[in-house]
Amino acid sequence: MAGFNLTPSDPSTFILMGIPGLEAAHIWISIPFAMFYFISLLGNFTVLYVVGKEQTLQKPMYLLLCMLALTDIATPTFIVPKALCIFWFNLKSITVGGCLTQSFFLHTVSATRSAVLVTMAFDRYVAICNPLRYTTILTNAQIAKLGLVGLTRAVLCILPLPLLLHRQPFCGNHIIPHTYCEHIAVAKISCGDITFNRIYGLVIAFVLIGLDLTLIALSYGLIIRAVFRISSKQAHQKALNTCTAHICVILISYTAGLFTILNHRFGQGTVPHVHIILANLYLLIPPMLNPIIYGVKNKEFRDIVGKYIWVIIWGH
């Protein structure tokens, strides 16, 4: 097969090594990769199907959940099939164009997911702090526009990254010690000056994440203030319960993301294969857990999914 014959010196090809140091365990490592991917696809396609079928769920909160599900389907889909080809068939080659494309889409989807999480925080703020105007402030059309703004912002911020990489000379070393084309992992094998690549990547990561986390913190600060003004403890509990799932998703997404970004740039002492495994888990675990979290924490959604499962099992 072509994947076996290509050499690292081929100027049009990069070689993804998978997880260097653990080559003997690649088959075993592929099992959780494939399992996490399958669970992620099952959970997120279930979200899309149920919201699409149920008229009662076609409202802003659930449309945002669908947007999150789309990013959670895209993220592992950009890395897992290629990773499994490496683990199962030793097909390590990837064209330079394919590598830069993968890098662009991965980072774009991550930035888009961050924008969706901000919009979800705003949705909860309006629902709790201004419930009487919720239906006029947040319509389905408004949610679609906010989603488009988030996607446009992501594309404009991330597009310079592959363009910067495309201008870099790669001399004789085309071996990437990773399972996917992460921007800085590709930049590190260049024989040119990557100072600007490092700075731009770090600045964009912290500007986007910093801005988004600030907006989320502001939303929840206003929510907490509004909740404490409510005299009824039952109302307190109900208001906070509507935010629990979103808070869990935020903690999972941003904690893993920040750790990976910092470790890529400053974690020189980290054992390489540990870093690569963690970088992959960051892209695999949140998409798998997000639909589960919303399924467990959101009673309305849980009840409807339960109804569909009952029909599938018993036929009525």
Side-chain angles (χ1 to χ4, degrees):
M1 296 176 73
F4 290 95
N5 298 326
L6 286 165
T7 64
S9 60
D10 188 329
S12 65
T13 308
F14 287 135
I15 304 295
L16 287 166
M17 294 303 294
I19 305 177
L22 294 178
E23 286 88 353
H26 272 179
I27 290 292
W28 296 107
I29 294 169
S30 72
I31 295 171
F33 266 64
M35 184 178 68
F36 292 163
Y37 183 46
F38 174 75
I39 295 171
S40 174
L41 291 182
L42 179 64
N44 288 294
F45 274 118
T46 298
V47 169
L48 295 176
Y49 177 78
V50 170
V51 174
K53 289 284 285 184
E54 288 291 324
Q55 287 283 41
T56 57
L57 296 184
Q58 290 173 16
K59 48 192 178 184
M61 184 174 80
Y62 292 104
L63 290 181
L64 285 168
L65 187 55
C66 285
M67 289 183 188
L68 186 66
L70 287 171
T71 66
D72 286 343
I73 290 167
T75 300
T77 299
F78 288 132
I79 64 163
V80 173
K82 181 59 184 176
L84 293 179
C85 284
I86 296 169
F87 296 153
W88 291 345
F89 309 115
N90 203 35
L91 295 174
K92 298 180 177 182
S93 64
I94 184 170
T95 64
V96 172
C99 188
L100 299 185
T101 301
Q102 184 191 50
S103 175
F104 169 72
F105 279 112
L106 267 177
H107 293 299
T108 298
V109 169
S110 293
T112 304
R113 182 201 285 134
S114 185
V116 171
L117 291 174
V118 173
T119 311
M120 291 174 106
F122 179 63
D123 169 79
R124 292 300 83 206
Y125 160 72
V126 176
I128 292 169
C129 299
N130 210 339
L132 298 178
R133 295 185 59 208
Y134 179 81
T135 53
T136 55
I137 294 174
L138 281 177
T139 62
N140 290 351
Q142 285 293 97
I143 293 297
K145 287 176 186 174
L146 288 171
L148 187 60
V149 168
L151 177 61
T152 303
R153 182 192 72 158
V155 169
L156 292 176
C157 289
I158 302 301
L159 187 58
L161 291 176
L163 295 178
L164 287 169
L165 282 177
H166 185 66
R167 297 179 63 183
Q168 287 289 337
F170 287 95
C171 306
N173 181 20
H174 281 212
I175 299 174
I176 303 169
H178 215 304
T179 54
Y180 63 90
C181 293
E182 204 278 338
H183 170 76
I184 202 67
V186 180
K188 281 179 179 177
I189 68 168
S190 168
C191 53
D193 183 6
I194 62 167
T195 304
F196 189 71
N197 294 64
R198 285 179 176 274
I199 292 171
Y200 183 80
L202 202 57
V203 167
I204 283 297
F206 278 102
V207 166
L208 288 180
I209 293 174
L211 174 63
D212 291 351
L213 281 176
T214 301
L215 292 172
I216 289 169
L218 178 62
S219 295
Y220 276 102
L222 294 170
I223 287 169
I224 290 167
R225 188 181 71 172
V227 166
F228 280 116
R229 286 179 176 175
I230 303 170
S231 55
S232 165
K233 282 192 174 180
Q234 189 176 358
H236 276 185
Q237 192 65 33
K238 186 179 178 182
L240 291 175
N241 277 346
T242 65
C243 302
T244 306
H246 184 237
I247 291 169
C248 291
V249 169
I250 288 168
L251 289 174
I252 292 169
S253 296
Y254 286 113
T255 304
L258 282 169
F259 176 82
T260 301
I261 290 165
L262 292 172
N263 196 42
H264 245 311
R265 287 157 177 84
F266 308 115
Q268 283 81 7
T270 307
V271 180
H273 61 254
V274 171
H275 162 70
I276 293 166
I277 289 170
L278 290 174
N280 279 280
L281 289 178
Y282 155 61
L283 296 175
L284 290 171
I285 298 294
M288 179 182 70
L289 291 182
N290 289 346
I292 296 172
I293 290 168
Y294 274 96
V296 170
K297 292 293 184 182
N298 187 303
K299 187 178 185 303
E300 183 183 18
F301 185 74
R302 184 174 70 242
D303 289 346
I304 291 173
V305 171
K307 181 186 76 174
Y308 276 94
I309 293 172
W310 181 270
V311 169
I312 290 168
I313 294 173
W314 298 107
H316 62 275

